[in-house]
Amino acid sequence: MATSTPSTDLPRTRPLTELPEEADPFSTERTVRTGDVDTGKRLRLDGIARYLQDIGTDNLAAVGASETDPLWIVRRTIVDVHRPAEYGRTLRLRRWCDALSTRWANVRVRLDDPDGPLIETAAFWIDIGPTTGAPTRISDGLFEHMARYAHDTRLKWTAWLPGRAPDEVDDERVFPLRATDLDPFGHVNNAVYWHGLEELLPLRPDVPDAPYRAVIEHLLPVAAGETLTLRTTLREDGLTVWFTVEDHTRAVAWIGRKPDALRWTP
């Protein structure tokens, strides 16, 4: 296994924002069921990703934006597991926007249970025009609603992870896709990438001992019929995996323990 000295100034180590005092974000609940846990009853990362998708859809409906802004794609998702959730727990999910621009937004979701699990997430979502398939302006009403707790209304995209795998990796494997992995647009659903990351966790079994962070950035979609290969490097501070089709990176992920020198928002 290759090693390197962990860095505390990498973009992937940046802390998430705090929930503003007296804020009243959109809130719902979700009970952890068997389909979302591993053999140790831990809520898996792909389960968390599905919760984020569901609360996003529910939030749009609750504020009357299902018709004006129905389609969003995620560019990056960050998951900070401070205290893992387990089977049977009923989690409170709170969702708010902490930064946005006219076409995209950084949306926070906190999953918790008093005196129990605590998982913080952030996702960079892009508003997509349902007819053009291209980024589109957030409707005025939704923009005003989302900006309530935003500290930045000129959000720009900056990649946190390297988009190209090195020539030499520590593990390389084909990741077979199933018909059920595809969404209505014929692309691999976001949660499936987290399946791939869960598949690789045995390479670093120490990582899922909280607290830890996982990050996935999407570059291009994976379509039906394509052969997806996972190429992974192992380092002292975690593992990085490139989701590739032939020589092209479609997504990249990193997962690692929280460095002692950093304070992530709990």
Side-chain angles (χ1 to χ4, degrees), residues 25-259:
F26 178 74
S27 181
T28 186
E29 290 186 346
R30 187 70 175 260
T31 300
V32 180
R33 302 300 189 191
T34 54
D36 293 324
V37 298
D38 64 8
T39 55
K41 299 184 179 180
R42 170 188 62 92
L43 174 61
R44 299 190 312 262
L45 291 164
D46 59 287
I48 295 172
R50 282 187 290 272
Y51 293 3
L52 302 186
Q53 292 173 345
D54 290 346
I55 191 177
T57 301
D58 294 345
N59 195 176
L60 287 176
V63 299
S66 295
E67 297 296 327
T68 59
D69 303 78
L71 180 60
W72 297 72
I73 61 171
V74 66
R75 186 72 191 274
R76 174 172 53 228
T77 304
I78 305 160
V79 177
D80 287 350
V81 179
H82 296 277
R83 298 186 296 273
E86 296 183 343
Y87 170 74
R89 280 278 192 173
T90 297
L91 302 175
R92 174 182 57 173
L93 280 64
R94 286 174 287 172
R95 187 178 194 264
W96 73 96
C97 174
D98 70 354
L100 75 166
S101 188
T102 56
R103 288 173 168 79
W104 44 72
N106 195 66
V107 181
R108 296 271 285 104
V109 178
R110 175 177 295 170
L111 305 84
D112 63 7
D113 183 18
D115 301 319
L118 175 60
I119 301 169
E120 297 276 10
T121 76
F124 191 106
W125 289 97
I126 302 174
D127 197 351
I128 298 296
T131 57
T132 65
T136 189
R137 290 183 65 89
I138 300 171
S139 64
D140 291 343
L142 183 59
F143 186 94
E144 181 179 356
H145 174 80
M146 296 179 74
R148 293 176 304 157
Y149 306 130
H151 62 80
D152 181 5
T153 57
R154 295 184 177 180
L155 176 66
K156 295 182 179 179
W157 167 258
T158 302
W160 284 17
L161 303 177
R164 183 172 179 81
D167 293 335
E168 303 247 343
V169 295
D170 299 299
D171 185 87
E172 183 169 331
R173 65 184 74 183
V174 173
F175 187 66
L177 298 175
R178 304 160 298 181
T180 53
D181 292 335
L182 302 175
D183 63 20
F185 306 99
H187 297 152
V188 171
N189 182 269
N190 170 48
V192 176
Y193 296 88
W194 295 97
H195 288 168
L197 195 52
E198 286 279 345
E199 191 76 16
L200 294 167
L201 285 184
L203 297 176
R204 285 295 304 271
D206 59 305
V207 167
D209 293 333
Y212 67 91
R213 166 172 286 184
V215 183
I216 288 185
E217 291 184 344
H218 301 272
L219 306 181
L220 293 168
V222 176
E226 293 187 310
T227 300
L228 186 61
T229 300
L230 310 185
R231 308 186 72 228
T232 305
T233 58
L234 306 174
R235 298 292 185 266
E236 184 179 348
D237 61 348
L239 66 83
T240 304
V241 54
W242 288 265
F243 297 76
T244 63
V245 175
E246 297 179 345
D247 292 329
H248 303 286
T249 301
R250 302 301 178 87
V252 57
W254 174 83
I255 184 168
R257 299 288 302 280
K258 182 183 80 68

